[in-house]
Amino acid sequence: MAARSLWKTRSKLLVIGSSVCGGSAAAFIASSEDPSKTLKLCTNIPVRLFRNTVTAASIAFDYEYSLLGLAEGSSEKAKIKHEVHLRSAQKLQELCFKNGGIYIKLGQHIGQLDYLVPEEYVHTMRESMLNKCPVSSYEQVCEVFKKEVGETPDKVFAEFDPVPIASASLAQVHVARTHDGKKVAVKVQHAHMTDTAAADTAAVEVIVNTLHRIFPSFDYRWLLDEMSESLPKELDFLVEAKNSEKCLDNFRKLSPHIAEYVYAPTVYWNLSSSKLLTMEFMDGAQVNDVAKIKKLGIQPYEVSKLVSQTFAEMMFKHGFVHCDPHAANLIVRPAPSGKRNIYGKQKPQLVLLDHGLYKELDFNTRFNYASLWKALVFSDANAIKQHSAKLGAGDDLYVLFAGILTMRPWKQVINTSVDHLVIQGTKEDRSELQMYASQYFPQISELLRRLPRVILLMLKTNDCLRSVNNELVKGSSLESFLIVGKVSSEAVLEAKWSQKKTLVQWLKVWLEGFSVEARLWVMQFALWVLQVRKALTLV
């Protein structure tokens, strides 16, 4: 009887508590400025948190019990670990698609971290996250327009295609025509992105921290820190518009020799807001569409060189870097000037899209990063160690840092041959890199923990550029590394010139500049010899 009475009492309390909580929630929703939006948030966020928890628990359980008792270094453990990585990557992919928004962004980040996370995660995310992003309905697009400009798209523009030409994690792009007849691209933020971003970030942070406590070697808290900092800026399209204008201004002022070959779409400020961005519509070929690039009369090799120089100038001279240069954000078209190279082919112009994610490098960081790349190109082991330590890698992980930057083993990094950093893209190359990534996974996690977040974004940028370069020239190009060596050396010398105080210092910098020019000339000559030899073997 007592038990039954207690059960009835508990049931009554549960009903009363549910009623009170439900009534409070209903009152909160009804009294909010936008009840429908608040209701959606109150229902969506708990569901997403539940999905996160189930997925994280499932992945943790899979790793813990699938690998239990298997001998370290055995072929059986390697096989099982590969299977667990693949299953877990697919679970994470499914979670990202179901939750959408910043989860897609997180998946895209993972897909660009070559050899910093297991290969199974990189391939799974890369194959899906860039090309299969969710699409907002036209009704949702109209909702954003009404909130931002007070009118629907058909009123704001003379023509507006309701079907987007592209969709990304945070927004989608529609083609439209202004009332004065200009064709434009309109970037529309997915509905409720800013409303759910903070809660989603907090939920993901709980999961990542929990996994780190269970598996100390799984430490990707730095990625969450970076997303927490950059996401609010990416969600404000006016920041993106200002970034695009600053980027072009930097090329005009600091890199005038290539300014005409780098472009960003003109922004229509009167038709833009924090969640709507109207830009000049750009025709051209996506940077990895080699067939279309050739149809435009442009050599992919020339595009590879331009991409390398563009981002080298940003990193080493401007200190203001576009940190999301994956293929969908880089468009190639013939230079409007009509200039041609010595082979009669059109010179390319690189059009940069999606300026939401930029990083600024302060003077010391930019100087040390440029000095490090100069040392890598010239195989200077002492300088590599010195500048790696100054960037946070320490005296014990500089070899690993150099390996991550170049994707080459240390013996190859310090090899004095002119093509020591070139990756052929063969299966043997990939197998060797994957072996190192697996073998030094704890050390890689420690290095990523130590490095400043701005350098972590440079690593991500390098990975994106390496992927683009691989599509264009099927491997890495020696010419690209010579460009990096030249621009980084120029940046280092410019910094030293600005700080010279005495005649002795002036003479020292001048001699260093003369030495660098001589070494670059020798490397350029060696490149020419290699190219001639390759051409003769093809005859």
Side-chain angles (χ1 to χ4, degrees):
M1 290 293 291
R4 187 178 298 173
S5 176
L6 182 60
W7 172 254
K8 287 182 179 179
T9 303
R10 285 180 176 177
S11 299
K12 288 178 181 177
L13 288 172
L14 181 61
V15 171
I16 292 169
S18 300
S19 301
V20 170
C21 291
S24 300
F28 170 71
I29 292 168
S31 61
S32 64
E33 292 182 5
D34 189 342
S36 63
K37 181 182 79 175
T38 306
L39 175 62
K40 187 172 183 179
L41 292 178
C42 288
T43 53
N44 279 358
I45 289 174
V47 170
R48 291 182 183 188
L49 184 56
F50 176 74
R51 286 194 198 117
N52 291 357
T53 305
V54 171
T55 302
S58 173
I59 290 173
F61 181 86
D62 201 355
Y63 276 102
E64 184 70 23
Y65 289 97
S66 295
L67 303 176
L68 189 64
L70 297 177
E72 193 64 43
S74 67
S75 58
E76 184 185 4
K77 183 166 185 177
K79 177 178 177 292
I80 297 298
K81 184 182 283 188
H82 165 72
E83 293 171 356
V84 177
H85 282 333
L86 194 57
R87 285 197 300 270
S88 300
Q90 289 166 348
K91 290 172 186 175
L92 188 57
Q93 177 198 54
E94 185 180 352
L95 176 72
C96 290
F97 278 131
K98 282 184 176 178
N99 285 350
I102 73 159
Y103 292 86
I104 299 287
K105 197 75 179 173
L106 179 64
Q108 289 176 344
H109 274 292
I110 293 171
Q112 291 163 357
L113 295 174
D114 281 302
Y115 312 110
L116 302 184
V117 297
E119 181 193 12
E120 294 82 357
Y121 285 86
V122 172
H123 285 180
T124 301
M125 297 301 169
R126 182 176 290 171
E127 288 172 2
S128 58
M129 291 296 160
L130 292 178
N131 301 316
K132 298 178 182 176
C133 292
V135 176
S136 293
S137 66
Y138 183 62
E139 289 71 24
Q140 290 172 316
V141 169
C142 290
E143 181 185 338
V144 174
F145 264 84
K146 287 176 183 176
K147 287 182 179 177
E148 293 300 302
V149 295
E151 297 282 358
T152 54
D154 58 306
K155 297 287 196 306
V156 177
F157 297 99
E159 297 174 18
F160 186 89
D161 189 344
V163 180
I165 57 169
S167 183
S169 56
L170 306 182
Q172 60 193 43
V173 178
H174 294 257
V175 178
R177 196 170 293 278
T178 62
H179 288 290
D180 59 356
K182 292 177 181 175
K183 189 177 182 181
V184 294
V186 186
K187 185 174 180 179
V188 185
Q189 193 172 117
H190 293 311
H192 306 307
M193 277 298 307
T194 50
D195 303 316
T196 61
D200 284 344
T201 302
V204 174
E205 186 174 357
V206 169
I207 301 302
V208 171
N209 287 334
T210 301
L211 286 173
H212 173 61
R213 280 193 290 271
I214 298 171
F215 307 106
S217 63
F218 181 95
D219 192 0
Y220 290 98
R221 292 173 293 176
W222 57 269
L223 184 57
L224 284 173
D225 290 340
E226 177 51 42
M227 285 186 65
S228 298
E229 180 183 307
S230 63
L231 191 61
K233 296 175 184 176
E234 289 189 78
L235 288 171
D236 187 346
F237 291 171
L238 295 179
V239 171
E240 178 178 342
K242 291 173 185 175
N243 286 345
S244 70
E245 294 192 341
K246 181 176 179 179
C247 171
L248 286 189
D249 194 48
N250 282 341
F251 275 99
R252 284 190 289 265
K253 292 178 180 176
L254 304 174
S255 306
H257 53 293
I258 67 162
E260 67 175 298
Y261 302 110
V262 182
Y263 191 72
T266 301
V267 175
Y268 290 77
W269 288 95
N270 61 319
L271 296 172
S272 299
S273 71
S274 62
K275 296 178 183 177
L276 290 174
L277 182 59
T278 305
M279 306 159 285
E280 173 187 7
F281 183 86
M282 305 304 305
D283 275 315
Q286 197 165 289
V287 75
N288 61 348
D289 190 345
V290 175
K292 190 171 181 180
I293 288 172
K294 289 179 178 178
K295 282 184 180 178
L296 292 172
I298 299 170
Q299 292 180 308
Y301 177 71
E302 290 284 332
V303 177
S304 174
K305 290 197 300 180
L306 179 57
V307 170
S308 296
Q309 183 154 16
T310 298
F311 283 87
E313 298 279 340
M314 284 188 195
M315 288 187 279
F316 305 135
K317 292 186 177 180
H318 306 175
F320 186 66
V321 186
H322 186 309
C323 290
D324 202 14
H326 59 74
N329 288 338
L330 304 176
I331 298 292
V332 180
R333 65 178 184 174
S337 64
K339 291 181 180 178
R340 295 177 179 269
N341 63 17
I342 58 173
Y343 303 107
K345 296 289 186 178
Q346 293 268 12
K347 283 200 169 184
Q349 184 182 65
L350 184 67
V351 181
L352 304 175
L353 306 177
D354 194 351
H355 297 262
L357 183 58
Y358 270 73
K359 276 295 175 183
E360 293 196 56
L361 283 70
D362 60 46
F363 178 84
N364 288 332
T365 301
R366 184 167 59 85
F367 176 78
N368 283 309
Y369 193 57
S371 299
L372 174 56
W373 268 106
K374 172 175 173 278
L376 289 167
V377 172
F378 291 141
S379 309
D380 187 340
N382 289 331
I384 292 171
K385 181 177 180 179
Q386 175 190 350
H387 293 289
S388 292
K390 287 182 178 179
L391 287 170
D395 292 331
D396 55 334
L397 293 179
Y398 71 93
V399 170
L400 182 61
F401 188 28
I404 288 174
L405 282 170
T406 62
M407 291 297 143
R408 308 304 292 142
W410 178 248
K411 65 180 180 180
Q412 198 67 29
V413 170
I414 58 174
N415 189 310
T416 54
S417 63
V418 68
D419 58 348
H420 68 293
L421 296 181
V422 174
I423 301 172
Q424 301 300 332
T426 62
K427 288 183 179 180
E428 290 75 15
D429 266 346
R430 292 189 65 83
S431 296
E432 184 179 21
L433 291 169
Q434 288 155 14
M435 180 193 71
Y436 279 116
S438 176
Q439 186 177 350
Y440 297 107
F441 184 75
Q443 291 90 334
I444 290 173
S445 293
E446 172 60 19
L447 176 64
L448 298 180
R449 187 191 64 79
R450 290 184 191 180
L451 293 173
R453 287 209 301 274
V454 68
I455 296 299
L456 295 176
L457 262 291
M458 294 304 103
L459 294 181
K460 176 193 172 226
T461 302
N462 283 340
D463 285 337
C464 289
L465 295 174
R466 189 177 293 114
S467 177
V468 165
N469 207 43
N470 185 57
E471 293 282 349
L472 288 167
V473 294
K474 302 306 175 189
S476 58
S477 161
L478 176 55
E479 183 78 9
S480 295
F481 283 114
L482 287 181
I483 290 169
V484 168
K486 185 175 188 298
V487 178
S488 60
S489 298
E490 289 172 353
V492 169
L493 289 169
E494 286 172 10
K496 289 182 177 180
W497 278 117
S498 69
Q499 295 179 318
K500 67 183 189 304
K501 294 179 181 178
T502 66
L503 180 61
V504 173
Q505 289 175 326
W506 183 90
L507 184 60
K508 188 176 179 181
V509 175
W510 184 85
L511 288 172
E512 183 181 346
F514 180 80
S515 172
V516 166
E517 284 296 327
R519 293 178 74 177
L520 286 170
W521 186 88
V522 170
M523 293 176 77
Q524 191 67 51
F525 180 76
L527 171 63
W528 179 79
V529 171
L530 287 173
Q531 288 173 334
V532 170
R533 187 179 298 170
K534 183 179 179 181
L536 290 174
T537 59
L538 294 174
V539 175

